[in-house]
Amino acid sequence: MKSYKLAFVGFGNVGQALARLFLRKKAELAQRYHIAVTTVGIATGRHGTAVDPDGIDLERALALMDGGAALDDLSRQPVEGDILAFIRSSGAEVLFENSPVNYKTGQPAIDHLRVALERGMHAITANKGPVVHAYQELSRLAAANGVGFRFESTVMDGAPIFSLFREALPGARLLSLRGILNSTTNLILGRMERGDTFKQAVAYAQQIGIAETDPSGDIDGWDAAIKVSALASVLMGLPLTPDQVSRVGIRHIGPKDVTRAAEEGKRWKLVCSARRVGESVEARVAPEQVPSTSPLYSVEGTSSIVEFETDVLGPLSIVEANPGPDTTAYGLFADFLNLVQG
Ligand SMILES: NC(=O)c1ccc[n+]([C@@H]2O[C@H](COP(=O)([O-])OP(=O)(O)OC[C@H]3O[C@@H](n4cnc5c(N)ncnc54)[C@H](OP(=O)(O)O)[C@@H]3O)[C@@H](O)[C@H]2O)c1
């Protein structure tokens, strides 16, 4: 049995879903993969930090978080210093970084991942910021330290996008991509088709926990732009930041526009696209009226889709239905298994 020590930075929706997945898959990891894991540290923003070299009881950590309590009581030793000191002293072999995204700079997650990689830990994240702002640097650092930097969950949660090109499509050159990558706006546009005003649709998305209190990151296309940037930077090898993506959100679309499109057999969708042009990339996020012949037309609610055009295959689409923290957690879990199995 091979044993791995894990540390979590960020223990919100995704971090907790990942902890539940490790608990649920414990027997399968042991029997099928001969792998055991021990969580030696968990650090949060406002819910404290826990360190225990012998292993934190994840059930207790989840129960504490459920009750809104801090994690400090789980610590077997004093926790000193900031999050970077926590990572350095954790003794972990794998860091899961799931702190909130910073669209503009990728920080502080980049620093968290950098320190982990420098310490010889595998670094796995669902945070898009470090991928668009530091993909090349972190990948080089990982290679120099003989470890891995993985981020499957940053786009379309647990669906295999980055690993598809890394593992299953060797030698394929990505020419362009097109898709719906933001769940909140797709849900809002769908609600407006059923009669909601824009405001009501946003309120519904907030009520079910899909949209944040300040939904502008989704509505103004920033989340979609950062995902297009991540895909272009990694899969096309052409560094692209969200501010380089031509971006229009959905604020100006109202129920009348949605009804008019429906009368013409079309649906409004916030479409993301990127196209290789020589040694650069043209990327765009903008609402479009898609016809019923488009694979994007029937993508409902919070589901997403991406269609790839490569130099070797015909159009290749991946659709993910009903994503959430549990599917995001699976992407992190898959990254972990893929890394430790070499
Ligand atoms: N939710 C999804 O399904 C999903 C899907 C794909 C990608 N992601 C990405 O996954 C990451 C986590 O998402 P989430 O939904 O789990 O967010 P969340 O529920 O807000 O949790 C964020 C966690 O990070 C902690 N945190 C905040 N600031 C920190 C800092 N400076 N250093 C260390 N920890 C800090 C928070 O602690 P406190 O709460 O104690 O402050 C909390 O534990 C984000 O980058 C997000 O974009 C999420």
Side-chain angles (χ1 to χ4, degrees):
M1 185 83 73
K2 179 86 179 94
S3 188
Y4 293 94
K5 293 179 183 159
L6 316 180
F8 290 62
V9 167
F11 203 59
N13 295 309
V14 171
Q16 290 174 52
L18 180 62
R20 285 193 297 272
L21 187 58
F22 270 115
L23 289 169
R24 180 156 75 82
K25 292 276 184 187
K26 187 177 173 186
E28 196 177 338
L29 273 181
Q31 284 155 19
R32 198 163 152 198
Y33 298 99
H34 309 288
I35 286 174
V37 297
T38 310
T39 300
V40 293
I42 305 176
T44 71
R46 294 159 298 138
H47 290 84
T49 299
V51 175
D52 184 347
D54 296 328
I56 293 167
D57 181 341
L58 281 183
E59 308 254 20
R60 277 192 65 203
L62 289 166
L64 284 172
M65 293 300 292
D66 225 22
L71 298 174
D72 306 81
D73 282 354
L74 295 177
S75 251
R76 282 278 178 82
Q77 59 187 55
V79 181
E80 279 156 19
D82 58 9
I83 301 268
L84 299 182
F86 159 84
I87 298 168
R88 281 194 195 100
S89 62
S90 66
E93 290 152 312
V94 182
L95 175 74
F96 289 104
E97 208 292 344
N98 294 303
S99 67
V101 62
N102 176 332
Y103 295 114
K104 292 218 168 96
T105 67
Q107 291 289 22
I110 293 174
D111 285 344
H112 300 161
L113 295 162
R114 193 184 280 136
V115 164
L117 294 167
E118 281 167 356
R119 282 269 147 167
M121 301 177 198
H122 293 306
I124 303 174
T125 188
N127 190 330
K128 297 164 271 287
V131 181
V132 296
H133 292 287
Y135 166 66
Q136 295 201 343
E137 181 212 324
L138 294 174
S139 298
R140 274 196 299 269
L141 194 55
N145 287 284
V147 288
F149 167 49
R150 293 286 186 274
F151 40 81
E152 187 59 81
S153 293
T154 54
V155 180
M156 288 177 76
D157 311 280
I161 304 292
F162 297 106
S163 57
L164 176 74
F165 279 84
R166 197 174 49 240
E167 313 291 341
L169 296 174
R173 186 172 159 86
L174 179 61
L175 304 176
S176 70
L177 62 91
R178 182 176 155 82
I180 298 169
L181 297 173
N182 180 263
S183 304
T184 305
T185 46
N186 204 49
L187 181 73
I188 290 170
L189 292 168
R191 293 287 299 185
M192 286 202 288
E193 287 172 345
R194 284 185 215 105
D196 276 7
T197 62
F198 182 75
K199 250 187 167 173
Q200 286 168 335
V202 172
Y204 174 78
Q206 286 168 327
Q207 186 194 322
I208 64 165
I210 297 289
E212 292 180 28
T213 317
D214 172 8
S216 51
D218 293 318
I219 290 170
D220 295 331
W222 280 112
D223 176 75
I226 200 170
K227 286 172 177 164
V228 176
S229 304
L231 291 174
S233 300
V234 178
L235 300 181
M236 292 179 174
L238 299 169
L240 182 74
T241 52
D243 55 342
Q244 294 170 322
V245 176
S246 157
R247 180 181 49 80
V248 181
I250 64 161
R251 276 184 204 273
H252 64 287
I253 295 179
K256 276 189 192 153
D257 303 301
V258 170
T259 311
R260 212 170 300 131
E263 284 163 6
E264 292 171 15
K266 295 177 181 167
R267 300 181 83 184
W268 280 100
K269 297 286 179 190
L270 185 65
V271 178
C272 305
S273 58
R275 174 168 298 279
R276 188 189 283 276
V277 181
E279 279 318 298
S280 65
V281 57
E282 276 176 6
R284 183 167 182 257
V285 170
E288 283 182 29
Q289 296 180 60
V290 301
S292 59
T293 47
S294 164
L296 277 55
Y297 181 88
S298 52
V299 175
E300 294 284 353
T302 58
S303 301
S304 33
I305 183 169
V306 64
E307 190 175 30
F308 294 114
E309 182 198 3
T310 64
D311 63 340
V312 286
L313 298 175
L316 177 66
S317 299
I318 297 202
V319 182
E320 189 196 24
N322 304 321
D326 289 341
T327 55
T328 306
Y330 173 69
L332 294 156
F333 181 85
D335 276 342
F336 164 74
L337 261 187
N338 282 329
L339 272 178
V340 300
Q341 290 194 109

